[in-house]
């Protein structure tokens, strides 16, 4: 079975779009500076195994604790 170059390109660009979006939503709550992390993940997304490893590392990172001035229940 042959895979055409157009189909392979669409699959890669689809993965880049999905992986970069996932990286953004994960990085919002786990990293202080989101832009460099998302940019690096965008570059790594062109090589799917690197992208998957980066997503797993980002998903396993602890969330950043934000200080809130409001008290619970108010």
């Amino acid at each position: 079975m042959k895979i055409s170059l157009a189909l392979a390109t669409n699959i890669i660009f689809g993965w880049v779009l999905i992986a970069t979006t996932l990286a953004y939503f994960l990085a919002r709550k786990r990293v202080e500076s989101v832009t460099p992390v998302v940019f690096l993940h965008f570059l790594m997304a062109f090589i799917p195994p690197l992208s998957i490893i980066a997503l797993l590392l980002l998903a396993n990172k602890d969330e950043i604790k934000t200080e809130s001035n409001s008290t619970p229940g108010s």
Side-chain angles (χ1 to χ4, degrees):
M1 179 176 151
K2 287 182 167 181
I3 288 186
S4 69
L5 186 59
L7 179 61
T9 304
N10 285 337
I11 290 171
I12 292 294
F13 281 122
W15 172 253
V16 168
L17 180 67
I18 291 169
T20 305
T21 304
L22 282 172
Y24 170 73
F25 285 113
L26 284 172
R28 278 193 321 177
K29 295 192 177 193
R30 289 175 166 78
V31 181
E32 289 182 13
S33 57
V34 175
T35 307
V37 171
V38 173
F39 180 71
L40 286 174
H41 192 83
F42 170 76
L43 294 177
M44 283 193 292
F46 288 99
I47 304 172
L50 287 178
S51 178
I52 292 170
I53 291 169
L55 280 174
L56 288 173
L57 289 173
L58 195 56
N60 285 331
K61 187 170 174 54
D62 291 334
E63 289 188 9
I64 294 176
K65 296 182 180 176
T66 58
E67 294 182 26
S68 177
N69 291 338
S70 63
T71 58
S74 60

